[in-house]
Amino acid sequence: MKVSDILRVKGNTLYTVSPDEPLSRAIDTMAEKDIGSLVVMHHGDLVGMLTFREVIQCIKANQHTVGDILVRTAMDDHPLTCTLETELDEVRRMMLERHARYMPVMDKRMLMGVISFYDVAKAVVDSQNFENRMLKAYIRDWPAAEDQLPSAQL
């Protein structure tokens, strides 16, 4: 399974923010949209990722206030990214290694979407459930061996 498979199911709604916007406005957007991350874009280029983790760390470092902080102060300016062709196993490894909950999906320099650790976990569970159903159906329809007679005929 590839990242493109996850995005096909998830859809392509994207929420972005500029690095020069106030952090308070980004927090409002995240709360209103009930999302855990915003992709930080500047002149059409990905320049960072803002998640609730960065927001909390920034607020703590600023004596528990948002004040006049800009998004660029709080954002992760080296976010982990993947492509549409990245295999799901590789995405899981990358996210676990970096403790990343959100990952922008890029096609060269174009932002195609964002996948979350939840999206990855859901895809894995859905795939395993499908495989289990197929295996159970195969076992249920297992052909009887010709040399074995049912115990009632012995």
Side-chain angles (χ1 to χ4, degrees), residues 71-134:
V71 168
R72 77 171 59 254
T73 303
M75 72 183 194
D76 174 0
D77 59 357
H78 289 89
L80 194 59
T81 63
C82 63
T83 69
L84 293 168
E85 296 302 310
T86 307
E87 293 287 336
L88 198 56
D89 287 340
E90 177 66 9
V91 170
R92 285 191 312 194
R93 186 194 62 74
M94 292 165 59
M95 292 179 104
L96 286 170
E97 202 170 87
R98 284 265 309 264
H99 298 270
R101 290 183 179 95
Y102 302 92
M103 187 182 298
V105 180
M106 305 297 291
D107 183 10
K108 296 183 179 72
R109 291 180 52 199
M110 176 152 325
L111 177 64
M112 303 305 292
V114 175
I115 59 171
S116 68
F117 198 75
Y118 172 85
D119 298 327
V120 173
K122 183 179 182 321
V124 169
V125 168
D126 290 348
S127 175
Q128 288 173 342
N129 286 341
F130 176 75
E131 190 174 300
N132 285 342
R133 283 193 311 274
M134 293 296 105

Side-chain angles (χ1 to χ4, degrees), residues 18-35:
S18 161
D20 297 319
E21 281 190 48
L23 183 60
S24 59
R25 190 176 309 150
I27 292 169
D28 288 344
T29 300
M30 292 169 79
E32 289 166 9
K33 304 294 184 189
D34 192 25
I35 54 175

